[in-house]
Amino acid sequence: MVPFVPIQGTALEHHSKPEQAFMQALYPKIGEQLRQNGLHSENTKAGCAKCGACSSLKAYE
Ligand code: SF4
């Protein structure tokens, strides 16, 4: 899961980004679900879960 980032020239370019507190409230809950289901970024080969540049979720796995 990565936070929404508005991109210039798209229909949602003026949509606001989520607040940091909003994302920090979600990550622990999602991290717990990932742990419970054995879904760790270390086990993935590609994609956002492996990259982690746009999200702090890895810190909550
Ligand atoms: S692959 Fe990495 S840089 Fe690209 S959207 Fe996912 S987390 Fe962000």
Side-chain angles (χ1 to χ4, degrees), residues 3-7 12-19:
F4 172 76
V5 177
I7 298 174
L12 296 177
E13 67 179 329
H14 300 297
H15 195 282
S16 60
K17 297 183 220 176
E19 296 290 332

